[in-house]
Amino acid sequence: VTVDLVVLTLRDGAHSVLLVRRGEAPFRGRWALPGGFVRPDEDLGGAAARELEEETGLVEGVHLEQLGSYGAPRRDPRMRVVTVAYLAIGPSLPDPVAGGDASHAAWVPVREARRLAFDHSDILRDGVERARSKLEYTSLAAAFCDEPFTVSELREVYEAVWGVELDPRNFHRKVTGAVGFLQPTGEQRQEGRGRPAQLFRRGPADLLLPPMMRGNQPQPG
Amino acid sequence: VTVDLVVLTLRDGAHSVLLVRRGEAPFRGRWALPGGFVRPDEDLGGAAARELEEETGLVEGVHLEQLGSYGAPRRDPRMRVVTVAYLAIGPSLPDPVAGGDASHAAWVPVREARRLAFDHSDILRDGVERARSKLEYTSLAAAFCDEPFTVSELREVYEAVWGVELDPRNFHRKVTGAVGFLQPTGEQRQEGRGRPAQLFRRGPADLLLPPMMRGNQPQPG
DNA sequence: ACAAAAGTGTTCCTCATACACCCATGT
DNA sequence: ACATGGGTGTATGAGGAACACTTTTGT
């Protein structure tokens, strides 16, 4: 039994995933999701947190949830392996460090992450879809932002992950009006030209009510 | 690696789950979810479907989806076992047949299913919550009904699973107005007194748009 | 006639959408 | 002055909540 990680973040405004380049057969030279075996004394979530820390150096403040299990009999040609996939979401994370059987690790824009090793393309697709869904009705978008953040930064998360454009004015009114969603810090931040933006932190609410509307735009990726 | 099943249905109007009485230690005499080991040549979903067929005799027409994995190191005191839980939902299913290491199997109302063996209470809670969530925005409720069914029967699914009362008139308008959700058969059925009800089958749509509202119920007084 | 269940019409209100408009700052 | 991004006001329409009302059956 292994755990594999779909680690999502925003890098230079692009919805990106952490991938490792395989240094060994099978799938040598192909991109893969980071992961590893569950140790005998570990919980599944604990194994996922350990792998996340090994790859990124961070665990605190990173959202981590179970995504699903993948156990087709020959998904790994070497042996029968059932993997439990986890979805991790954090603010712009530091450049990754190579480790384990990975010859290299990098942030890759989701739309460019193609033809991964094993069934990792399926797992990535499911993870991205989970993230897109949860933006609608939870406060997950704030997990992509360093605190404190502006309303515009939060809107850019939705626009990058969903691949759509949202009306800045209606977006502002909606997120500031949802009770418990945002907590104003009272401070402001200047972003080049224009009026300074108010700064916020995550509020106590986990759910966004009413949910954010996702248009019918086609999804790249 | 095992699979465990949360099989939900409606029995006499009660939201019920299929449980087996354990005949062996550990947890001898306690209720547990049905399940078993994944065979070497099986997919995870295939193992779940096989277990479902062994316990209920049915697979066709039963909704089956992966729920999540549970792998705490000592969840089974005998050995390290990671289980992949599946959620199954079907119309009023036949009385179950004992099999495997189960001394007895029965349909138990969800609210009476307490203190299950292993971590099965957690798994059941997650499965029930998954079913409740998916009623909101998918056509999953129809999986609880034998076809063809009436709008009232469909409404009783929501009321039993959610434990609320819904306005029959607004419910009727909503489900018949959602495109692709219900297909009228043109036939009618008499239910004792009252005007006969039109009969429907599931439509091609998997999603219910806009979703059914579960939140603010009419407050008494 | 009456009760009961199915189904329709109507009113009120919340909220998504679109967009006009004002605010605060850098160049 | 003007461009740019932050933020508010307002009109319109879709749809949820509540409920009066009609339709169709059994007793």
Side-chain angles (χ1 to χ4, degrees), chain B residues 70-157:
Chain B
Y70 301 77
R74 284 168 190 79
R75 56 179 297 276
D76 186 328
R78 294 167 297 184
M79 55 187 288
R80 181 72 194 267
V81 178
V82 173
T83 196
V84 184
Y86 276 77
L87 175 65
I89 291 176
S92 191
L93 294 163
D95 281 316
V97 188
D101 65 349
S103 62
H104 188 55
W107 294 105
V108 178
V110 166
R111 69 184 58 199
E112 297 171 13
R114 294 271 190 282
R115 296 177 55 76
L116 304 186
F118 308 107
D119 52 2
H120 289 187
S121 292
D122 296 332
I123 301 176
L124 173 60
R125 175 179 33 72
D126 293 347
V128 169
E129 181 50 39
R130 172 78 65 93
R132 285 177 174 155
S133 294
K134 288 201 120 183
L135 287 196
E136 293 184 21
Y137 59 96
T138 73
S139 56
L140 184 63
F144 282 94
C145 297
D146 272 308
E147 292 192 328
F149 52 84
T150 69
V151 173
S152 285
E153 287 168 347
L154 192 66
R155 178 170 48 82
E156 284 160 9
V157 171

Coordinates of all heavy atoms in Angstrom, one line a residue, chain B residues 70-157:
Chain B
Y70 N -9.6 3.5 4.9 CA -9.4 3.6 6.3 C -8.3 2.7 6.7 O -8.3 1.5 6.4 CB -10.7 3.2 7.0 CG -11.9 4.1 6.7 CD1 -12.5 3.9 5.4 CD2 -12.2 5.2 7.5 CE1 -13.6 4.8 5.1 CE2 -13.3 6.0 7.1 CZ -13.9 5.8 5.9 OH -14.9 6.7 5.5
G71 N -7.2 3.3 7.2 CA -6.0 2.5 7.5 C -5.3 2.8 8.7 O -4.0 2.7 8.8
A72 N -6.0 3.1 9.8 CA -5.3 3.3 11.1 C -4.6 2.0 11.5 O -5.1 0.9 11.2 CB -6.3 3.7 12.2
P73 N -3.4 2.2 12.0 CA -2.5 1.0 12.2 C -3.2 -0.2 13.0 O -3.0 -1.3 12.7 CB -1.3 1.5 13.0 CG -1.2 2.9 12.5 CD -2.7 3.4 12.4
R74 N -4.0 0.2 14.0 CA -4.6 -0.9 14.8 C -6.1 -0.9 14.7 O -6.8 -1.3 15.7 CB -4.2 -0.7 16.3 CG -2.7 -1.2 16.5 CD -2.1 -0.8 17.8 NE -0.7 -1.1 17.8 CZ 0.2 -0.3 17.2 NH1 -0.2 0.8 16.6 NH2 1.5 -0.7 17.2
R75 N -6.6 -0.6 13.5 CA -8.1 -0.6 13.4 C -8.6 -2.1 13.5 O -9.7 -2.3 13.9 CB -8.6 0.1 12.1 CG -7.9 -0.5 10.8 CD -8.5 0.2 9.6 NE -9.9 0.0 9.4 CZ -10.4 -1.1 8.8 NH1 -9.6 -2.0 8.4 NH2 -11.7 -1.2 8.7
D76 N -7.8 -3.0 13.0 CA -8.1 -4.4 13.3 C -7.0 -5.0 14.2 O -5.8 -4.9 13.8 CB -8.1 -5.2 11.9 CG -8.5 -6.7 12.1 OD1 -8.3 -7.2 13.2 OD2 -9.1 -7.2 11.2
P77 N -7.4 -5.4 15.4 CA -6.4 -5.8 16.4 C -5.6 -7.0 16.0 O -4.5 -7.3 16.5 CB -7.2 -6.1 17.6 CG -8.6 -6.3 17.1 CD -8.8 -5.5 15.9
R78 N -6.0 -7.8 15.0 CA -5.3 -9.0 14.6 C -4.1 -8.7 13.7 O -3.0 -9.3 13.9 CB -6.2 -9.9 13.8 CG -7.3 -10.5 14.7 CD -8.4 -11.2 13.8 NE -9.0 -10.2 12.9 CZ -10.0 -10.5 12.1 NH1 -10.5 -11.8 12.1 NH2 -10.6 -9.6 11.3
M79 N -4.2 -7.7 12.8 CA -3.2 -7.5 11.8 C -3.4 -6.1 11.1 O -4.5 -5.5 11.3 CB -3.2 -8.6 10.7 CG -4.5 -8.7 10.1 SD -4.6 -10.1 8.9 CE -3.6 -9.5 7.6
R80 N -2.4 -5.6 10.4 CA -2.6 -4.4 9.7 C -3.5 -4.6 8.5 O -3.1 -5.4 7.6 CB -1.2 -3.9 9.2 CG -1.3 -2.5 8.5 CD -1.6 -1.4 9.4 NE -2.0 -0.2 8.8 CZ -1.1 0.8 8.5 NH1 0.1 0.7 8.7 NH2 -1.6 1.9 7.9
V81 N -4.6 -4.0 8.4 CA -5.5 -4.1 7.3 C -5.9 -2.7 6.9 O -6.4 -1.8 7.7 CB -6.8 -4.8 7.7 CG1 -7.8 -4.9 6.5 CG2 -6.5 -6.3 8.2
V82 N -5.8 -2.4 5.6 CA -6.3 -1.2 5.0 C -7.5 -1.6 4.3 O -7.5 -2.5 3.4 CB -5.3 -0.5 4.1 CG1 -5.9 0.6 3.3 CG2 -4.0 -0.1 4.8
T83 N -8.6 -0.9 4.6 CA -9.9 -1.2 3.9 C -10.3 0.0 3.0 O -10.1 1.1 3.4 CB -11.0 -1.6 4.9 OG1 -12.0 -2.2 4.2 CG2 -11.6 -0.3 5.6
V84 N -10.8 -0.4 1.8 CA -11.4 0.6 0.9 C -12.9 0.4 1.0 O -13.5 -0.6 0.7 CB -10.9 0.4 -0.5 CG1 -11.5 1.5 -1.4 CG2 -9.4 0.3 -0.6
A85 N -13.6 1.5 1.5 CA -15.0 1.4 1.7 C -15.7 1.8 0.4 O -15.3 2.8 -0.3 CB -15.4 2.3 2.9
Y86 N -16.8 1.2 0.1 CA -17.7 1.5 -1.0 C -19.1 1.8 -0.5 O -19.6 1.2 0.5 CB -17.7 0.4 -2.0 CG -16.6 0.4 -3.0 CD1 -15.3 0.0 -2.6 CD2 -16.7 1.0 -4.2 CE1 -14.2 0.1 -3.4 CE2 -15.6 1.1 -5.1 CZ -14.4 0.6 -4.7 OH -13.3 0.7 -5.5
L87 N -19.8 2.7 -1.2 CA -21.1 3.1 -0.9 C -22.0 2.5 -1.9 O -21.8 2.7 -3.1 CB -21.3 4.6 -0.8 CG -22.7 5.1 -0.6 CD1 -23.3 4.8 0.7 CD2 -22.7 6.7 -0.8
A88 N -23.0 1.7 -1.5 CA -24.0 1.1 -2.5 C -25.4 1.5 -2.1 O -25.7 1.6 -0.9 CB -23.9 -0.5 -2.4
I89 N -26.2 1.9 -3.1 CA -27.5 2.3 -2.9 C -28.4 1.7 -3.9 O -28.2 1.7 -5.1 CB -27.6 3.9 -3.0 CG1 -26.8 4.5 -1.9 CG2 -29.0 4.4 -3.1 CD1 -26.8 6.0 -2.0
G90 N -29.5 1.1 -3.4 CA -30.4 0.4 -4.3 C -31.9 0.5 -3.8 O -32.1 0.9 -2.6
P91 N -32.8 0.1 -4.6 CA -34.2 0.1 -4.2 C -34.4 -1.0 -3.2 O -33.5 -1.9 -3.0 CB -35.0 -0.2 -5.5 CG -34.0 -0.9 -6.3 CD -32.7 -0.3 -6.0
S92 N -35.6 -1.0 -2.5 CA -35.8 -2.0 -1.4 C -35.4 -3.3 -1.8 O -36.0 -4.0 -2.6 CB -37.3 -2.0 -1.2 OG -37.6 -2.7 0.0
L93 N -34.2 -3.8 -1.3 CA -33.6 -5.0 -1.7 C -34.1 -6.2 -0.9 O -34.7 -6.0 0.1 CB -32.1 -4.8 -1.4 CG -31.4 -3.7 -2.3 CD1 -30.0 -3.4 -1.7 CD2 -31.2 -4.2 -3.7
P94 N -33.9 -7.4 -1.5 CA -34.5 -8.6 -0.8 C -33.8 -8.8 0.5 O -32.7 -8.2 0.8 CB -34.1 -9.7 -1.8 CG -33.0 -9.2 -2.6 CD -33.2 -7.7 -2.7
D95 N -34.4 -9.6 1.3 CA -33.8 -9.9 2.6 C -32.4 -10.6 2.4 O -32.3 -11.4 1.5 CB -34.7 -10.9 3.4 CG -35.8 -10.1 4.1 OD1 -35.6 -9.0 4.6 OD2 -37.0 -10.6 4.0
P96 N -31.4 -10.2 3.2 CA -30.1 -10.6 2.9 C -29.8 -12.1 3.3 O -30.6 -12.7 4.1 CB -29.2 -9.7 3.8 CG -30.1 -9.3 4.9 CD -31.5 -9.3 4.3
V97 N -28.8 -12.6 2.7 CA -28.4 -14.0 3.0 C -27.1 -14.0 3.7 O -26.2 -13.3 3.4 CB -28.3 -14.8 1.6 CG1 -28.1 -16.3 1.9 CG2 -29.4 -14.5 0.7
A98 N -27.0 -14.8 4.8 CA -25.7 -14.9 5.5 C -24.7 -15.6 4.7 O -24.9 -16.4 3.8 CB -26.0 -15.7 6.8
G99 N -23.4 -15.2 4.9 CA -22.4 -15.7 4.1 C -21.0 -15.3 4.7 O -20.9 -14.4 5.5
G100 N -20.0 -16.0 4.3 CA -18.6 -15.7 4.8 C -18.6 -15.9 6.3 O -19.1 -16.9 6.8
D101 N -17.9 -15.0 7.0 CA -17.8 -15.2 8.4 C -18.9 -14.5 9.2 O -18.8 -14.3 10.4 CB -16.4 -14.6 8.9 CG -16.4 -13.1 8.7 OD1 -17.3 -12.6 8.1 OD2 -15.4 -12.5 9.3
A102 N -20.0 -14.2 8.5 CA -21.1 -13.6 9.1 C -22.1 -14.7 9.6 O -22.5 -15.6 8.9 CB -21.9 -12.7 8.2
S103 N -22.5 -14.6 10.9 CA -23.5 -15.5 11.4 C -24.9 -15.1 11.0 O -25.8 -15.9 11.0 CB -23.4 -15.7 12.9 OG -23.7 -14.4 13.5
H104 N -25.1 -13.8 10.7 CA -26.4 -13.3 10.4 C -26.3 -12.0 9.7 O -25.4 -11.2 10.0 CB -27.3 -13.2 11.7 CG -28.7 -12.9 11.4 ND1 -29.5 -13.7 10.6 CD2 -29.5 -11.9 11.8 CE1 -30.7 -13.2 10.5 NE2 -30.7 -12.1 11.3
A105 N -27.2 -11.7 8.8 CA -27.2 -10.4 8.2 C -28.6 -9.8 8.2 O -29.6 -10.5 8.2 CB -26.8 -10.5 6.7
A106 N -28.7 -8.5 8.3 CA -30.0 -7.9 8.4 C -30.0 -6.4 8.0 O -28.9 -5.8 8.0 CB -30.5 -8.0 9.9
W107 N -31.2 -5.9 7.6 CA -31.3 -4.5 7.4 C -31.6 -3.8 8.7 O -32.5 -4.1 9.4 CB -32.5 -4.2 6.4 CG -32.2 -4.7 5.1 CD1 -32.7 -5.8 4.5 CD2 -31.3 -4.1 4.1 NE1 -32.2 -6.0 3.2 CE2 -31.3 -5.0 3.0 CE3 -30.5 -3.0 4.1 CZ2 -30.6 -4.7 1.8 CZ3 -29.7 -2.8 2.9 CH2 -29.8 -3.6 1.8
V108 N -30.8 -2.8 9.1 CA -31.0 -2.0 10.3 C -31.2 -0.6 10.0 O -30.4 0.0 9.2 CB -29.7 -2.2 11.2 CG1 -29.8 -1.4 12.5 CG2 -29.5 -3.7 11.5
P109 N -32.2 0.1 10.6 CA -32.4 1.5 10.4 C -31.1 2.2 10.8 O -30.5 1.9 11.8 CB -33.5 1.9 11.3 CG -34.3 0.6 11.4 CD -33.3 -0.5 11.4
V110 N -30.7 3.2 10.0 CA -29.4 3.9 10.2 C -29.3 4.5 11.6 O -28.3 4.4 12.2 CB -29.3 5.0 9.1 CG1 -28.1 5.9 9.5 CG2 -29.0 4.3 7.7
R111 N -30.5 5.0 12.1 CA -30.4 5.7 13.4 C -30.2 4.7 14.5 O -29.9 5.1 15.6 CB -31.6 6.6 13.6 CG -32.9 5.9 13.8 CD -34.0 6.9 13.9 NE -34.1 7.7 12.7 CZ -34.7 8.9 12.6 NH1 -35.3 9.4 13.7 NH2 -34.7 9.6 11.5
E112 N -30.5 3.4 14.2 CA -30.3 2.4 15.3 C -29.0 1.7 15.2 O -28.7 0.8 16.0 CB -31.5 1.4 15.2 CG -32.8 2.0 15.5 CD -34.0 1.1 15.2 OE1 -33.7 -0.1 15.0 OE2 -35.1 1.5 15.1
A113 N -28.2 2.0 14.1 CA -27.0 1.3 13.9 C -25.9 2.0 14.7 O -25.3 3.0 14.3 CB -26.6 1.3 12.4
R114 N -25.6 1.4 15.9 CA -24.7 2.0 16.8 C -23.6 1.0 17.2 O -23.8 -0.2 17.2 CB -25.4 2.5 18.1 CG -26.4 3.6 17.9 CD -25.8 4.9 18.1 NE -26.8 6.0 18.1 CZ -27.4 6.5 17.0 NH1 -27.1 6.0 15.8 NH2 -28.2 7.4 17.1
R115 N -22.5 1.5 17.6 CA -21.4 0.7 18.2 C -21.1 -0.5 17.3 O -21.1 -1.6 17.8 CB -21.8 0.2 19.6 CG -22.0 1.3 20.6 CD -22.5 0.8 22.0 NE -21.7 -0.2 22.5 CZ -20.5 0.0 23.1 NH1 -20.0 1.3 23.2 NH2 -19.7 -0.9 23.6
L116 N -20.7 -0.2 16.1 CA -20.3 -1.3 15.2 C -18.9 -1.7 15.5 O -18.2 -1.1 16.2 CB -20.4 -0.8 13.7 CG -21.8 -0.2 13.3 CD1 -21.8 0.1 11.8 CD2 -22.9 -1.1 13.6
A117 N -18.6 -2.9 14.9 CA -17.2 -3.5 15.1 C -16.2 -2.6 14.4 O -16.5 -1.8 13.5 CB -17.2 -4.9 14.6
F118 N -14.9 -2.7 14.8 CA -13.8 -2.0 14.2 C -14.1 -0.5 14.1 O -14.7 0.0 15.1 CB -13.5 -2.6 12.8 CG -13.3 -4.1 12.7 CD1 -14.3 -4.9 12.2 CD2 -12.2 -4.6 13.3 CE1 -14.2 -6.3 12.2 CE2 -12.0 -6.0 13.2 CZ -13.0 -6.8 12.7
D119 N -13.7 0.2 13.0 CA -14.1 1.6 12.9 C -15.3 1.7 11.9 O -15.4 2.8 11.3 CB -12.9 2.3 12.3 CG -12.3 1.7 11.0 OD1 -12.9 0.6 10.6 OD2 -11.3 2.2 10.5
H120 N -16.1 0.7 11.9 CA -17.2 0.7 11.0 C -18.3 1.8 11.3 O -19.0 2.2 10.4 CB -17.9 -0.7 10.9 CG -17.0 -1.7 10.2 ND1 -17.4 -3.0 9.9 CD2 -15.7 -1.6 9.8 CE1 -16.5 -3.6 9.3 NE2 -15.4 -2.8 9.2
S121 N -18.3 2.3 12.5 CA -19.2 3.4 12.8 C -18.8 4.6 12.1 O -19.6 5.4 11.6 CB -19.3 3.6 14.3 OG -20.0 2.5 15.0
D122 N -17.5 4.8 12.0 CA -16.9 6.0 11.3 C -17.3 5.9 9.8 O -17.7 6.8 9.1 CB -15.4 6.1 11.4 CG -15.0 6.3 12.9 OD1 -15.8 7.0 13.6 OD2 -13.9 5.9 13.3
I123 N -17.1 4.7 9.3 CA -17.3 4.4 7.8 C -18.8 4.7 7.5 O -19.1 5.3 6.5 CB -16.8 3.0 7.4 CG1 -15.3 2.9 7.7 CG2 -17.1 2.8 6.0 CD1 -14.8 1.5 7.5
L124 N -19.6 4.1 8.4 CA -21.1 4.3 8.1 C -21.5 5.8 8.2 O -22.2 6.3 7.3 CB -21.9 3.5 9.2 CG -23.4 3.8 9.2 CD1 -24.0 3.3 7.8 CD2 -24.1 3.0 10.3
R125 N -20.9 6.5 9.2 CA -21.2 7.9 9.2 C -20.8 8.7 8.0 O -21.5 9.5 7.4 CB -20.5 8.5 10.5 CG -20.6 10.0 10.6 CD -20.0 10.6 11.8 NE -18.7 9.9 12.2 CZ -17.6 10.0 11.6 NH1 -17.5 10.7 10.5 NH2 -16.5 9.3 12.1
D126 N -19.6 8.3 7.5 CA -19.1 9.0 6.2 C -20.0 8.6 5.0 O -20.3 9.4 4.2 CB -17.7 8.6 6.0 CG -16.7 9.1 7.0 OD1 -17.1 10.0 7.8 OD2 -15.6 8.6 7.0
G127 N -20.4 7.3 5.0 CA -21.3 6.9 3.9 C -22.6 7.6 3.9 O -23.1 8.0 2.9
V128 N -23.2 7.7 5.1 CA -24.5 8.3 5.2 C -24.4 9.8 4.8 O -25.2 10.4 4.1 CB -25.1 8.2 6.6 CG1 -26.3 9.1 6.8 CG2 -25.5 6.7 6.9
E129 N -23.3 10.5 5.3 CA -23.1 11.9 4.9 C -22.9 12.0 3.4 O -23.4 13.0 2.8 CB -22.0 12.5 5.7 CG -21.7 13.9 5.4 CD -22.9 14.8 5.5 OE1 -23.8 14.5 6.4 OE2 -23.1 15.7 4.7
R130 N -22.2 11.1 2.8 CA -22.0 11.1 1.4 C -23.3 11.0 0.6 O -23.6 11.8 -0.3 CB -21.1 10.0 0.9 CG -20.9 9.9 -0.6 CD -20.0 10.9 -1.2 NE -18.7 10.7 -0.8 CZ -17.7 10.0 -1.4 NH1 -18.1 9.3 -2.5 NH2 -16.5 9.9 -0.9
A131 N -24.2 10.1 1.1 CA -25.5 9.9 0.4 C -26.3 11.2 0.6 O -26.9 11.7 -0.3 CB -26.2 8.7 1.0
R132 N -26.3 11.8 1.8 CA -27.1 13.0 2.1 C -26.6 14.1 1.2 O -27.4 14.9 0.6 CB -27.0 13.4 3.5 CG -27.8 12.5 4.4 CD -27.6 12.8 5.9 NE -28.6 12.0 6.7 CZ -28.4 11.7 8.0 NH1 -27.3 12.1 8.6 NH2 -29.3 10.9 8.6
S133 N -25.3 14.3 1.0 CA -24.8 15.3 0.2 C -25.2 15.1 -1.3 O -25.6 16.1 -1.9 CB -23.3 15.4 0.3 OG -22.9 15.7 1.6
K134 N -25.0 13.9 -1.7 CA -25.3 13.7 -3.2 C -26.7 13.8 -3.6 O -27.1 14.0 -4.7 CB -24.7 12.3 -3.6 CG -23.2 12.3 -3.6 CD -22.7 11.2 -4.5 CE -21.8 11.8 -5.6 NZ -21.3 10.7 -6.6
L135 N -27.7 13.6 -2.6 CA -29.1 13.9 -2.9 C -29.3 15.3 -3.4 O -30.2 15.6 -4.2 CB -30.0 13.6 -1.7 CG -30.2 12.2 -1.3 CD1 -31.4 12.1 -0.3 CD2 -30.4 11.3 -2.4
E136 N -28.4 16.2 -2.9 CA -28.7 17.6 -3.1 C -28.5 18.0 -4.6 O -29.3 18.7 -5.2 CB -27.7 18.5 -2.4 CG -27.9 18.5 -0.9 CD -27.0 19.5 -0.2 OE1 -26.5 20.4 -0.8 OE2 -26.7 19.3 1.0
Y137 N -27.5 17.4 -5.2 CA -27.1 17.9 -6.5 C -27.0 16.9 -7.6 O -26.6 17.1 -8.7 CB -25.8 18.7 -6.5 CG -24.6 17.9 -6.0 CD1 -23.8 17.3 -6.9 CD2 -24.4 17.8 -4.6 CE1 -22.7 16.6 -6.4 CE2 -23.3 17.0 -4.2 CZ -22.5 16.5 -5.1 OH -21.4 15.7 -4.6
T138 N -27.4 15.6 -7.3 CA -27.3 14.5 -8.3 C -28.7 13.8 -8.3 O -29.6 14.1 -7.5 CB -26.2 13.5 -8.0 OG1 -26.7 12.7 -6.9 CG2 -24.9 14.1 -7.7
S139 N -28.8 12.9 -9.2 CA -30.1 12.1 -9.3 C -30.0 10.8 -8.5 O -30.7 9.9 -8.8 CB -30.3 11.8 -10.8 OG -29.2 11.1 -11.4
L140 N -29.1 10.8 -7.5 CA -28.9 9.6 -6.7 C -30.2 9.2 -6.0 O -30.3 8.0 -5.8 CB -27.8 9.9 -5.6 CG -27.4 8.7 -4.7 CD1 -26.8 7.6 -5.6 CD2 -26.4 9.2 -3.7
A141 N -31.1 10.1 -5.7 CA -32.3 9.7 -5.0 C -33.1 8.6 -5.7 O -33.7 7.7 -5.1 CB -33.2 10.9 -4.7
A142 N -33.0 8.7 -7.1 CA -33.8 7.7 -7.9 C -33.2 6.3 -7.7 O -33.9 5.3 -7.9 CB -33.7 8.1 -9.4
A143 N -31.9 6.2 -7.3 CA -31.3 4.9 -7.0 C -32.0 4.1 -5.9 O -31.9 2.9 -5.8 CB -29.8 5.0 -6.8
F144 N -32.7 4.9 -5.0 CA -33.4 4.3 -3.9 C -34.8 3.7 -4.3 O -35.4 3.0 -3.6 CB -33.7 5.3 -2.8 CG -32.5 5.6 -1.9 CD1 -31.7 6.6 -2.2 CD2 -32.2 4.8 -0.8 CE1 -30.6 6.9 -1.3 CE2 -31.2 5.1 0.1 CZ -30.3 6.2 -0.2
C145 N -35.2 4.0 -5.6 CA -36.6 3.7 -6.0 C -36.6 2.6 -7.0 O -35.7 2.6 -7.9 CB -37.3 5.0 -6.6 SG -37.5 6.3 -5.5
D146 N -37.6 1.7 -6.9 CA -37.9 0.8 -8.0 C -38.6 1.6 -9.1 O -39.4 2.4 -8.9 CB -38.8 -0.3 -7.5 CG -38.0 -1.5 -6.9 OD1 -37.1 -2.0 -7.6 OD2 -38.3 -1.9 -5.8
E147 N -38.2 1.3 -10.4 CA -38.8 1.9 -11.5 C -40.0 1.1 -12.0 O -39.9 -0.1 -12.0 CB -37.8 2.1 -12.6 CG -36.7 3.1 -12.2 CD -35.8 3.5 -13.4 OE1 -35.6 2.7 -14.3 OE2 -35.4 4.6 -13.5
P148 N -41.1 1.8 -12.4 CA -41.2 3.2 -12.4 C -41.6 3.7 -11.0 O -42.1 2.9 -10.2 CB -42.3 3.5 -13.4 CG -43.2 2.3 -13.4 CD -42.2 1.1 -13.1
F149 N -41.5 5.0 -10.7 CA -41.8 5.5 -9.4 C -42.6 6.8 -9.5 O -42.6 7.4 -10.6 CB -40.5 5.7 -8.6 CG -39.5 6.6 -9.3 CD1 -39.5 7.9 -9.2 CD2 -38.5 5.9 -10.0 CE1 -38.6 8.7 -9.9 CE2 -37.5 6.7 -10.6 CZ -37.6 8.1 -10.6
T150 N -43.2 7.2 -8.4 CA -44.0 8.4 -8.4 C -43.1 9.5 -7.8 O -42.1 9.3 -7.1 CB -45.3 8.3 -7.6 OG1 -44.9 8.1 -6.2 CG2 -46.1 7.0 -8.0
V151 N -43.6 10.7 -8.0 CA -42.9 11.9 -7.4 C -43.0 11.8 -5.9 O -42.0 12.1 -5.2 CB -43.5 13.2 -7.9 CG1 -43.0 14.4 -7.1 CG2 -43.3 13.3 -9.4
S152 N -44.1 11.3 -5.3 CA -44.2 11.1 -3.9 C -43.1 10.1 -3.3 O -42.5 10.4 -2.3 CB -45.6 10.7 -3.5 OG -46.5 11.7 -3.6
E153 N -43.0 9.0 -4.1 CA -42.0 8.1 -3.6 C -40.6 8.7 -3.6 O -39.8 8.4 -2.7 CB -42.0 6.8 -4.5 CG -43.2 5.9 -4.3 CD -43.4 4.9 -5.4 OE1 -42.7 5.0 -6.4 OE2 -44.2 4.0 -5.2
L154 N -40.3 9.5 -4.6 CA -39.0 10.1 -4.7 C -38.8 11.1 -3.5 O -37.8 11.2 -2.9 CB -38.8 10.9 -6.0 CG -37.4 11.4 -6.4 CD1 -36.5 10.2 -6.6 CD2 -37.5 12.3 -7.6
R155 N -39.9 11.8 -3.2 CA -39.9 12.8 -2.1 C -39.7 12.1 -0.8 O -38.9 12.6 0.1 CB -41.2 13.6 -2.1 CG -41.2 14.6 -0.9 CD -42.4 15.6 -1.1 NE -43.7 14.9 -1.4 CZ -44.4 14.3 -0.5 NH1 -44.1 14.3 0.7 NH2 -45.5 13.7 -0.9
E156 N -40.3 10.9 -0.6 CA -40.1 10.1 0.6 C -38.6 9.7 0.8 O -38.2 9.6 1.9 CB -41.0 8.9 0.6 CG -42.5 9.3 0.9 CD -43.4 8.2 0.4 OE1 -43.0 7.1 0.1 OE2 -44.7 8.5 0.5
V157 N -37.9 9.5 -0.3 CA -36.5 9.2 -0.2 C -35.8 10.4 0.5 O -35.0 10.2 1.5 CB -35.9 8.9 -1.6 CG1 -34.3 8.8 -1.5 CG2 -36.4 7.7 -2.2

